[in-house]
Structures are given as structure tokens and as C-alpha cells.
Amino acid sequence: MASKTPSMRVLSRYLLRPQASLHPRCQHRAQSKQYSAGAAGARLNGTVEYDTIPILHHTAKSTLSNPELPADIRKGQTKRINLYTAVNEALRYALQTDERVLVFGEDIQFGGVFRCTMNLAADFGTERVFNTPLSEQGLVGFAIGAAAEGMKPVAEVQFADYVFPAFDQIHNEAAKYRYRSGSTGVHCGGLVIRMPTGSVGHGALYHTQSPEALFTHTPGLRVVIPRSPVQAKGLLLSAIRSQDPVLFMEPKILYRAAVEHVPVDAFYLPLDKAEVLKPGKDVTIVSYGTPLYTCSAAIAAAERDFGCSVELIDLRTIYPWDRETVLESVKKTGRAIVVHESMMNAGVGAEVAATIQERAFLRLEAPVKRVTGWATHTGLMYEQFIIPDVTRVYDAIKKTIDY
Amino acid sequence: MSFRYTSRILRLQRGLGVQTSRNGCRVATNAPVWQHCRAVASTANAEKVLFPGALNSEFTSTLDFLQPSQTQAISTYRVMNQYGEIIDKDIGVETTDEEALDLYKNMVKLSIMDLLMFEAQRQGRLSFYMVSAGEEGIAIGSASALSPADVIFCQYRETGVYMQRGFTLSQFMNQLFANAKDHGLGRNMPVHYGSKELNIHTISSTLATQIPHAAGAAYALKMQNMWSPETEPRIAVCYFGEGAASEGDFHAALNIAATRQVPCIFICRNNGYAISTPTSDQYRGDGIASRGAGYGIATLRVDGNDIFAVRRATKEARRLALHDGGRPVLIEMMAYRVGHHSTSDDSFAYRQRVEVEDWKRRDNPITRLRKWLEDNALWDEDKEKALRSVTRKEVLRAFEIAEKEKKPSIKNAFEGVWEELTEEQKMHVEELKDILTRYPKEYDVEQYEGGISGLDELLAQKKQT
């Protein structure tokens, strides 16, 4: 065995990115050392139960009742799978149905550090599914060029924390390709850049970040964050079909944690619609990705304790985002809270709050509250204090209602 | 046990398709066929050890560092000397007289256009311009050796590539004036040309970003060449300067081009300056060509003032690039940037006027080809005068027509960011329209094609379903 002593394990985990300590299969190891866990006997924190949480479809019936699914899918079969398998199924379908689809990135040939590309190289060949050298700017630039010549590359950046060498390629090249090409009509639509994002509890500074706000500042990009296996499959297929470059950010803690019934056949979910996950009357919570689970648990506690009714909205597409669904909800409830993991300053919450303020000012009963990461970095021992938890969302509901 | 060793074990286990089960023991599953396990073992007296990172390295007991500064510089390939004489008469020039005349006329046309546009910028009629002086042979010569179907990515000083491929004077002028007929729809700075018909991607000002694009595009072409063996195979060609080759994108691109074996020619124009920075402040190795070996890429250094050498090198590079499915090739074309970096630059602030004058007099691609043409009785002073006079008139005519064109429709400010206008954009268009309507004296919208109605066109657009 490679690593027998704990110190070796910890070090190799960080020195060997592909080994992926954060690989959920290795979580049993990580549990031997909990860097930042909730208190024993906590009533609010630590109450996210993936097996029963209402935002996942625990039965086939629940999945198939989704009106966004086409009729034939709603009559079809489902299978209980986790999020990485849903990503894998979407990639597999895309590779099967369109020869222009390519899947590549660092370490993806053996299945990827989060197993999203399992068996794809073996089944579709290494001409279409392949490892790239370790260079994010290189592999993203390569993907842009391939897309501009008619291919549909799905490039993987191993962690969102490592996307920054490719920032120039994404912001200055992918986003502007169609615009600067003018009437020549050349563009890099078909390009999807996938990356695992968000906190897992032991990722510290460089395996925790959610840099979506840096990309929602860039016209020309679509930024998508799925919350569940059904969403991941349907949104990823739409992203590959889209004629705009898409950043597809997959919450990495959900790769294994989120399991639900997913239609076996391929389906497409809209890239311009938010989704109301739970209707409510008194306050609207707008979120996306992992914090939706935190919000769901907090809502359960708050509704029980305060007798209020909370509406929960998943933005899904962070940019361009569905203003109408959010505004319609806030005009009804008169109160809004935005929850995301990344920092508050110039974050997605700021944009949502400003839009609500501009277009629903007279309906507001309370200021729009943001529950987000603080203006600091995610130090290893402090993640529980930095990433929004059930307590903070619960308290935000309380304060917003009492305002 | 070192981390290196640990990592190798882990990699091997992965390579074997081994998975960690929950209790930590490993269960072998079927290994996919593409995975190879390289043996690390070797016998005691073997001359080579199969380290996975350097498979053919022999052992040595001599402690001998590679000293690049002590090795001889890579040679520069030429066909014709600076007096226009062919060095190896047996091989000749592989260029017909008509072709040579055509190349010459295009180089002269480019230099005249450059001169006039530089002057126009000085008069305030253009905002910006970049000349190709000293590098006309590289752009025109290499473009002439490619197939029109090959896909080209330029940096910005490759006007000659566009000209040789058939970009017309009015197309150049429309772009320079960013008028209603500009392919770029008035969005880009001058000299950022692009053409779908000529298979040249639109230029972006960012340096070196086009190099990984070319690698990826070449990979797309490699696949498409495989899909349609009946059509002529295509390659990608990428131009960049020696300064851009310092960017990470250059390294990333050549490395991935090599690992994916893409049919791409990377053409470095080494003109001695990156704006003001001389090559001595840019790199310490033997130019850009010396880097090719590091990536495992076939490489050649060429005299960029010798258009026949440029052509032959490019032709051979294209053959190599298509050999056996595909492979990248690097060519370093040597030149001297006779002009300023751009109209925003005065190069005499960092180099001697006499240095530039020396280069102009001593050697440049146009005079060298002219000497060859004259030696072969294909050209004389009268023809030169006539060509220059006609070309000057053609350029000025195209210039005057383009200058009078309307500006593009204002809708082009918003269109083409995404495939379709977003709801957010529609709100912004409405807000802008409101401002333009209520403060009509503050804006001159009538210069733009269709005036304010350009915005109405956008708002009327229905979402495609």
C-alpha cells in the first residue's frame, strides 16, 4: 500500500492532485481527521440528510412528475444514481450521438479524479477522450480552437480553484469569439468547460473555492451550476448543445452525496430558467448548488419554529439568470435572502439583490439579506465558520421576517 | 519511501484499473485496452533504464551539464543570398516566373498600403495602424505555400497573409475604418482583420492566445481529415512574434500540440523587438527554434528576408505536418522589424536610427526578390515605377470610398455576444434607447446605419425556438 502512515496520507493528498483526497470514495479516511466539524448535540447544523431531503427525487414518480421533462421521458424508466454518474451518462450520450463531441482534461482518461469520465476512453477511444498535459490555459485554449473549427469539446478543469491560468482564455477569448468575429460568423459555441467547485469540509484554500462570480461578470459566457443528478444530466446535455460557451460548475461534495432517480434516457433542461423548488408565502430564498441543501434544512427548522412559509428558488443558470422567476417570487413574498458559498463582495448575491431593489423596491418589506462566505479565504480549520450553514440561513430567515 | 515513489505506485495501480474499496484493499477490474503499464525495472548492467519520463536515456558516469551557451547556434536556412543569387543552382527556386512576379507585386502593394495608412494615421484619419516593413516576405511567402483551405490564426502583423490569400484593398479599408461594410461589424481596432472565406480567424489583441487555439483547431482538422479522406487534408497555421513566445500560452500550445500530434505549423516571426524589448531581454536561449526540441517538435530556422526559403520551408513543413495523420512543426522566421511597433510607438526612443537605416539598406525581402527578378530580366525600373504608381492610386481610391461609408448599425454594439440577445441585454438596449431619445443633442446617432432604429431592430427580435 502506498500510504500507511497518516502523515504520508495527508501530504500525498495535497501533493498529488490526481490522487484526490477529496475523492468521496476516500472520505472514510478523511473522517479520521475532521478539521472543521459541527458541535456535538447541535440542533441546526449537521441536519442535512441527503436520504430524505425533499429537494432530491427519492422515487421514480417524483422524478417523472417534473413538468420540464418531455412527455416520452415522463413515461420512461428511471435509475437511482449519484451526480458523478449523471455527468458520466450525459457525456456518454453526447459522445454516442455526435461524433464532434470530444472529452478531455487532466487525468480524465482513467476516469478522472472524481470518476466523471469513467470508461469513456475505453468505449469511445483515446482520439475523442484523452488526457491533456497539465496546463489549464493550454487545454482551454485548445478547446476554444477545436470549437471554432466545428467540434464540441467538453474540457475538464480538475478543480475550479485551478481555472485561473485559463482565465484569459475564458474571459478574453471564449466569451468574445463570436462578437469579435462579426459577420464572419465564427464562434466557439459547443464548448463546455466543466469543473468541480465548492467546499467539502477539508479543502482549505485551494480545493474549496466557488469562483462563479468571476465568470458572471463576463458577457458571452453561460455559467451553470446543477444541484442534483437529474439537473446535472439535463443541464450538461443542454450545455453541450448550446451555441454559446458554457462554464459548467459541478458542486463536488454532491458527486456522491446527492443520489436520486434520474431518467434513463437523455433529456434537456432549459439554460435560461430558474426553478421554484418549494413554494412559500413569507420570504424567498435564492440559491444554487450545494447551499440549496443547507437552505432546505434551515427552511424545515424555521417553518417549524416560526410558523412561516419560505419559498426556495434554484437559479441553476447563474449567468444569464432568470430575473422574472426571482422577481415574481419576491413581489409575492416581499422578502428575499440570497445564499451562496463564495464571498459576499461583488458576488452573485450582490447582483440578485440589486436587481430586486431596482425592480421590486415598493414590494420589499425588508432589506435583501445575503448569506455567503465572508471576506476571507477558506482556511482549513475554519470552513465551518465561513461557508453558510443551517444556523446562518435559519437566522437570516428569522431576521428577515422580524425586520 | 519518497513521494515520487508513492505517486508512481498510485499511478500504476490506476493504470491497472485497480480501485480502492471501502476497507482499503484493492480489487482488480478489467483494465481498459488503452492503458499500458511501463516497467520501471532494469537489470544491473543495463545501459538504459526505462524511467517513464525519459525512455531512451543511456547511463553515463561523466558529470556533464548541458551548456546551451557553448553549443553552436541553430543554422538559418536560405535559398538565395542578399544579392538575389540562388545558392544551390541545382535545386533552384521551385517558383515560376509568374509566381515570383505575383509575390513581388503583393509585397510592394503591402508596403505601399502600409506607408499610406501610416501617413493617414499621422493625419488623424485613422486611429491606429501597424506596418509589416521587413516582414512582408514571411507573411506573403508562407501564405503562398499553403492550401487556401488551411486554417490560419494570426497575431496582428500578418497583413501579407490576408493579402496573399485574396483579402481585397476595400476589405482592408472597411476594417480600418470600422465602417458598415467591415467584417468585424465595427467592433475591433484597426488591423484586426478576419475572413471566413479565406479561412483566417479574426485577430484578437491578446498575445499568444491564438497559439493554443491553433493547436485545438488543428486537432479538429485532424479528426475531419480522418472523417473525409476524399477531400484534401487541411492543416492549421499559427503566426506569432518572438515576444509572444514568452507567454505561457506558447508553451502550453506547443506541448499539447505535440502530445496530440496535431497537423499545425507554428510560425514565429522573430523580428528582434517586442515593442521596445530587444531579444536579449526576452530570452537567453538560441531564439525560439531551440525550444522545438524540448517539445519534441520538428523545427527549422529560416531567413525571413528570403521569400524562396520561406516558401520552401513552409511547403515542406506542410508535408511533414500531414505525414502519418499529423504532427506539429515549428519554423522560426528571422527578420528585422524595420517599422515602429505601431503608430502609437516611436522606436527611436529605444533604438538607433542608423540601425534601422542599415537594415533597410542592407537587406529586406522586397529588394532581395527585386534583385533576383532583375537578374532574370523579369523586372526593371520602368515596371517598378508603373507598379508603384498604379498601386498607390488603387489604395487611395479604396481608402476614400471606405472613409465615406456609414458607420455600422448601433445594434452591433449588443448583438453577437451570445447567440441570442438576453433579457438583460434587452433591458440595457431599452435603457440606452431612452437616453438617446431624451438627449438627442448629446449623441450623433445618424452617422450609424439606420440611426436609432438599429436598436428597434434588436428589440423586435423574437427568440428562436
Side-chain angles (χ1 to χ4, degrees):
Chain A
M1 273 297 290
S3 23
K4 280 223 165 71
T5 63
S7 62
M8 178 72 77
R9 247 185 1 238
V10 172
L11 278 166
S12 66
R13 178 178 300 160
Y14 292 102
L15 292 171
L16 303 171
R17 251 165 62 191
Q19 205 270 330
S21 60
L22 305 160
H23 190 316
R25 186 165 269 175
C26 303
Q27 274 180 355
H28 63 287
R29 289 204 217 154
Q31 277 159 14
S32 62
K33 174 116 180 153
Q34 277 294 357
Y35 293 101
S36 184
R43 189 177 71 86
L44 297 167
N45 284 345
T47 55
V48 174
E49 297 286 348
Y50 287 99
D51 292 343
T52 52
I53 199 149
I55 63 173
L56 287 170
H57 295 292
H58 301 290
T59 63
K61 196 179 161 199
S62 157
T63 296
L64 299 176
S65 66
N66 181 353
E68 281 186 344
L69 296 175
D72 57 326
I73 294 294
R74 294 182 65 183
K75 285 186 210 125
Q77 297 289 309
T78 65
K79 196 169 61 182
R80 261 190 104 237
I81 57 172
N82 61 21
L83 198 145
Y84 86 68
T85 310
V87 168
N88 184 276
E89 284 192 1
L91 293 174
R92 176 171 291 277
Y93 179 80
L95 284 160
Q96 259 163 5
T97 50
D98 191 339
E99 65 178 356
R100 296 171 299 172
V101 173
L102 305 172
V103 174
F104 53 84
E106 295 156 16
D107 303 295
I108 67 102
Q109 201 162 298
F110 87 104
V113 298
F114 289 106
R115 319 311 282 151
C116 292
T117 51
M118 282 276 278
N119 299 320
L120 298 180
D123 293 351
F124 297 98
T126 53
E127 291 293 324
R128 295 179 65 203
V129 182
F130 53 86
N131 285 343
T132 66
L134 207 164
S135 168
E136 289 76 16
Q137 68 194 98
L139 74 94
V140 170
F142 185 91
I144 293 168
E149 281 301 320
M151 305 299 276
K152 289 179 159 284
V154 184
E156 178 179 302
V157 170
Q158 202 161 70
F159 286 85
D161 308 70
Y162 306 134
V163 72
F164 301 109
F167 196 83
D168 184 35
Q169 284 289 350
I170 295 170
H171 176 82
N172 270 331
E173 298 296 323
K176 296 177 172 63
Y177 219 110
R178 183 193 298 276
Y179 190 78
R180 78 156 177 261
S181 296
S183 66
T184 70
V186 180
H187 60 86
C188 62
L191 166 67
V192 178
I193 304 169
R194 293 179 43 242
M195 65 193 88
T197 185
S199 78
V200 294
H202 54 100
L205 279 71
Y206 304 112
H207 291 83
T208 300
Q209 297 172 78
S210 296
E212 66 274 5
L214 295 169
F215 299 106
T216 60
H217 194 59
T218 305
L221 299 178
R222 289 184 178 275
V223 181
V224 179
I225 303 185
R227 69 169 184 276
S228 72
V230 170
Q231 297 294 313
K233 186 171 177 179
L235 290 171
L236 182 52
L237 282 171
S238 294
I240 296 169
R241 192 172 66 171
S242 168
Q243 288 299 292
D244 295 315
V246 181
L247 266 72
F248 198 81
M249 305 173 86
E250 299 157 7
K252 56 185 172 284
I253 199 167
L254 301 180
Y255 274 137
R256 280 164 192 266
V259 178
E260 69 180 349
H261 278 266
V262 179
V264 172
D265 290 329
F267 58 95
Y268 297 85
L269 291 173
L271 290 183
D272 56 358
K273 285 275 175 290
E275 187 181 357
V276 179
L277 300 186
K278 177 192 169 302
K281 295 198 296 284
D282 303 319
V283 56
T284 301
I285 299 185
V286 180
S287 188
Y288 50 88
T290 314
L292 286 166
Y293 294 79
T294 313
C295 293
S296 183
I299 289 169
E303 289 187 339
R304 198 171 54 231
D305 293 357
F306 316 135
C308 60
S309 157
V310 184
E311 184 147 312
L312 181 60
I313 295 179
D314 178 6
L315 271 190
R316 300 197 283 191
T317 52
I318 318 304
Y319 195 57
W321 61 286
D322 177 4
R323 290 140 179 262
E324 289 316 312
T325 300
V326 171
L327 289 168
E328 199 182 305
S329 170
V330 176
K331 282 176 186 167
K332 179 180 73 180
T333 60
R335 296 177 179 88
I337 300 168
V338 192
V339 186
H340 55 68
E341 285 190 2
S342 60
M343 294 73 74
M344 188 180 293
N345 52 297
V348 173
E351 176 63 23
V352 173
T355 304
I356 292 171
Q357 175 270 126
E358 279 167 4
R359 294 180 57 193
F361 182 68
L362 293 176
R363 301 291 190 92
L364 285 178
E365 308 273 354
V368 180
K369 173 80 182 160
R370 286 178 287 170
V371 182
T372 69
W374 307 117
T376 181
H377 309 294
T378 42
L380 182 66
M381 301 300 280
Y382 317 108
E383 281 181 41
Q384 64 160 320
F385 304 113
I386 297 167
I387 304 297
D389 57 13
V390 178
T391 307
R392 283 177 59 198
V393 178
Y394 173 89
D395 187 62
I397 297 170
K398 182 172 188 287
K399 278 189 174 155
T400 304
I401 287 174
D402 293 347
Y403 185 82
Chain B
M1 189 163 58
S2 71
F3 294 127
R4 237 187 130 76
Y5 180 70
T6 313
S7 83
R8 186 166 310 133
I9 294 263
L10 291 170
R11 245 175 238 145
L12 279 174
Q13 282 161 345
R14 239 191 271 130
L16 289 166
V18 173
Q19 291 182 334
T20 315
S21 71
R22 255 199 171 288
N23 59 15
C25 74
R26 290 174 185 277
V27 185
T29 54
N30 289 337
V33 285
W34 48 264
Q35 289 171 331
H36 302 288
C37 174
R38 286 193 203 129
V40 181
S42 178
T43 55
N45 51 6
E47 293 191 346
K48 292 177 186 173
V49 68
L50 295 175
F51 287 114
L55 285 173
N56 291 312
S57 176
E58 286 182 13
F59 287 120
T60 175
S61 53
T62 313
L63 181 66
D64 195 5
F65 285 87
L66 286 176
Q67 299 282 6
S69 56
Q70 287 162 20
T71 54
Q72 212 186 343
I74 296 167
S75 323
T76 302
Y77 177 72
R78 55 159 57 171
V79 170
M80 163 171 72
N81 67 21
Q82 66 215 63
Y83 308 107
E85 297 159 356
I86 302 305
I87 297 155
D88 188 336
K89 299 235 162 42
D90 295 339
I91 300 175
V93 297
E94 294 169 336
T95 301
T96 65
D97 293 350
E98 290 71 34
E99 281 174 329
L101 281 167
D102 197 42
L103 295 172
Y104 182 73
K105 286 175 188 166
N106 269 344
M107 285 201 287
V108 170
K109 184 154 100 178
L110 173 55
S111 72
I112 290 175
M113 183 173 95
D114 278 356
L115 219 64
L116 292 170
M117 294 307 109
F118 190 85
E119 202 46 48
Q121 193 279 337
R122 286 291 183 256
Q123 292 173 13
R125 293 165 81 181
L126 281 182
S127 62
F128 179 81
Y129 193 74
M130 298 181 100
V131 302
S132 300
E135 296 168 63
E136 300 93 339
I138 297 173
I140 288 173
S142 59
S144 73
L146 299 169
S147 156
D150 292 339
V151 174
I152 293 185
F153 292 82
C154 293
Q155 181 165 301
Y156 48 60
R157 207 184 301 284
E158 293 87 3
T159 309
V161 171
Y162 288 83
M163 193 171 269
Q164 181 65 29
R165 287 206 148 194
F167 210 61
T168 64
L169 284 173
S170 43
Q171 286 174 322
F172 282 118
M173 299 304 143
N174 291 337
Q175 199 287 324
L176 293 173
F177 282 110
N179 65 27
K181 290 184 172 165
D182 167 24
H183 285 179
L185 303 174
R187 290 167 183 159
N188 303 312
M189 276 176 76
V191 312
H192 291 52
Y193 314 110
S195 172
K196 179 74 182 157
E197 298 74 43
L198 304 178
N199 289 309
I200 315 177
H201 285 260
T202 304
I203 288 166
S204 77
S205 311
T206 45
L207 284 182
T209 49
Q210 80 277 15
I211 315 178
H213 297 177
Y219 194 69
L221 299 176
K222 178 179 180 160
M223 307 275 295
Q224 290 159 19
N225 290 344
M226 270 183 340
W227 295 340
S228 13
E230 71 285 355
T231 55
E232 193 205 340
R234 303 195 291 160
I235 64 164
V237 181
C238 184
Y239 294 85
F240 52 93
E242 90 285 351
S246 294
E247 290 280 4
D249 274 332
F250 164 82
H251 165 74
L254 268 74
N255 198 36
I256 196 169
T259 61
R260 296 315 300 171
Q261 289 290 286
V262 303
C264 186
I265 309 178
F266 296 99
I267 298 181
C268 176
R269 298 177 290 96
N270 189 334
N271 65 15
Y273 288 94
I275 302 189
S276 74
T277 305
T279 51
S280 55
D281 291 340
Q282 195 66 249
Y283 52 72
R284 271 300 145 93
D286 180 14
I288 308 305
S290 65
R291 300 178 195 173
Y295 304 113
I297 292 181
T299 303
L300 185 71
R301 175 176 284 158
V302 176
D303 178 355
N305 284 340
D306 174 356
I307 197 163
F308 293 136
V310 169
R311 272 165 61 82
R312 186 179 289 159
T314 309
K315 224 176 243 176
E316 178 60 12
R318 188 175 189 280
R319 194 187 65 76
L320 280 175
L322 283 170
H323 183 73
D324 219 6
R327 70 178 65 170
V329 181
L330 172 63
I331 309 180
E332 184 181 26
M333 306 274 198
M334 307 309 290
Y336 182 83
R337 197 192 77 207
V338 174
H340 304 298
H341 164 70
S342 73
T343 49
S344 311
D345 173 46
D346 174 11
S347 66
F348 300 130
Y350 51 81
R351 61 180 180 181
Q352 298 292 318
R353 202 176 279 265
V354 59
E355 176 187 319
V356 180
E357 291 305 321
D358 269 1
W359 268 99
K360 265 190 190 168
R361 202 173 41 246
R362 189 163 60 210
D363 190 22
N364 78 63
I366 300 181
T367 50
R368 211 194 280 193
L369 183 58
R370 183 174 170 184
K371 284 172 190 163
W372 182 87
L373 289 170
E374 286 177 347
D375 289 350
N376 286 276
L378 294 165
W379 203 250
D380 56 36
E381 188 57 29
D382 290 344
K383 284 181 178 158
E384 180 77 15
K385 273 188 184 154
L387 173 67
R388 287 186 176 270
S389 157
V390 168
T391 309
R392 210 183 138 80
K393 278 180 199 146
E394 281 173 2
V395 173
L396 287 174
R397 202 157 147 260
F399 181 86
E400 278 158 16
I401 294 170
E403 198 176 25
K404 290 192 191 100
E405 289 284 348
K406 277 220 150 190
K407 292 179 177 170
S409 165
I410 316 178
K411 73 175 182 185
N412 294 305
F414 292 93
E415 249 187 345
V417 178
W418 287 273
E419 187 188 21
E420 287 173 6
L421 208 67
T422 64
E423 290 304 314
E424 179 192 22
Q425 284 187 301
K426 280 196 177 163
M427 287 188 55
H428 293 177
V429 171
E430 272 164 10
E431 205 168 324
L432 173 63
K433 191 188 161 193
D434 175 55
I435 289 284
L436 297 181
T437 313
R438 289 191 296 113
Y439 295 87
K441 287 185 180 156
E442 306 296 326
Y443 302 93
D444 189 358
V445 291
E446 291 315 313
Q447 295 177 44
Y448 292 83
E449 204 173 62
I452 203 165
S453 70
L455 295 180
D456 295 324
E457 268 179 63
L458 278 179
L459 295 172
Q461 275 177 11
K462 287 263 158 54
K463 195 177 150 48
Q464 291 169 22
T465 45

